Amino acid sequence: MALKLDFGCGNTPRAGYLGVDITTVGTKADIAVDLFTFPWPWPDNSVEAIWCSHFFEHIPGNKRGQFMVEVWRILVPGGEMMIICPHARSNRAVQDLTHEWPPIVWESFLYFNRGWRKANGLEHFPYPTKCDFDFSYGDIPHPDFDEKSQDEKSFAVNHYWNGAVDIHAQLIARK
């Protein structure tokens, strides 16, 4: 059976995934792992999928690169990570005192693509130089825009504070 991990699962582990959190006490996590301490206990190329809903924004900015190198290390070639986190222009991004700086924007994921780093001369420290992901991303518009056209939703996401509540990004490990 392929290994699937739900990082920062808290009390809502994803069905079919092994729940991972910093503690099993007071959570529904299956195992306790400090995901800010590297390396992680999983072997190279051993994980098929990682679900990361409302955890990525809690990773200190200076550890996000190393975190993604570990994700890349444990994912199988073609393995997938789904990240859902508050959109940077949403109150949700800054309301929680445990969220780390900087907030996440679409362009945050560019740094985890080797070709983009190379094209932009960012192959030096402190940028992650080992991981390589293809990715796609999108937004979850604020519910106030549910009845609006796609053009109106896109305008709101790009121009209004709270036009989007979350970002979702699908990353595929390139090896």
Side-chain angles (χ1 to χ4, degrees):
M1 183 168 123
L3 182 58
K4 296 180 178 182
L5 304 174
D6 180 350
F7 283 174
C9 69
N11 286 314
T12 56
R14 185 166 178 81
Y17 285 65
L18 186 70
V20 179
D21 216 312
I22 191 132
T23 184
T24 56
V25 177
T27 71
K28 292 184 180 174
D30 298 300
I31 59 169
V33 175
D34 180 354
L35 294 170
F36 301 156
T37 301
F38 312 104
W40 296 334
W42 301 284
D44 295 1
N45 304 311
S46 63
V47 176
E48 179 184 343
I50 297 171
W51 182 260
C52 189
S53 180
H54 293 281
F55 175 71
F56 197 77
E57 66 273 17
H58 296 275
I59 302 168
N62 65 353
K63 289 194 174 199
R64 288 180 189 158
Q66 195 174 6
F67 179 92
M68 291 305 294
V69 167
E70 277 296 287
V71 167
W72 183 79
R73 179 186 69 77
I74 68 171
L75 281 175
V76 299
E80 173 186 327
M81 178 181 200
M82 177 61 77
I83 296 174
I84 302 169
C85 60
H87 192 288
R89 288 189 310 271
S90 165
N91 287 348
R92 293 165 51 104
V94 294
Q95 74 184 23
D96 185 335
L97 58 89
T98 66
H99 288 183
E100 292 286 344
W101 195 260
I104 314 302
V105 296
W106 307 317
E107 294 83 358
S108 300
F109 301 103
L110 293 170
Y111 291 84
F112 309 130
N113 177 274
R114 183 177 294 137
W116 185 87
R117 288 193 311 271
K118 184 174 182 178
N120 287 277
L122 299 175
E123 295 180 292
H124 58 284
F125 180 81
Y127 298 103
T129 56
K130 204 174 172 188
C131 67
D132 191 17
F133 292 93
D134 285 328
F135 61 91
S136 58
Y137 50 80
D139 302 291
I140 301 170
H142 191 282
D144 287 351
F145 296 97
D146 284 348
E147 303 301 318
K148 302 294 183 182
S149 71
Q150 188 56 47
D151 285 346
E152 290 171 304
K153 287 179 186 178
S154 294
F155 186 87
V157 165
N158 288 312
H159 297 284
Y160 298 150
W161 188 264
N162 289 318
V165 290
D166 289 330
I167 288 176
H168 58 88
Q170 179 187 38
L171 293 90
I172 306 295
R174 294 170 46 107
K175 297 192 178 191

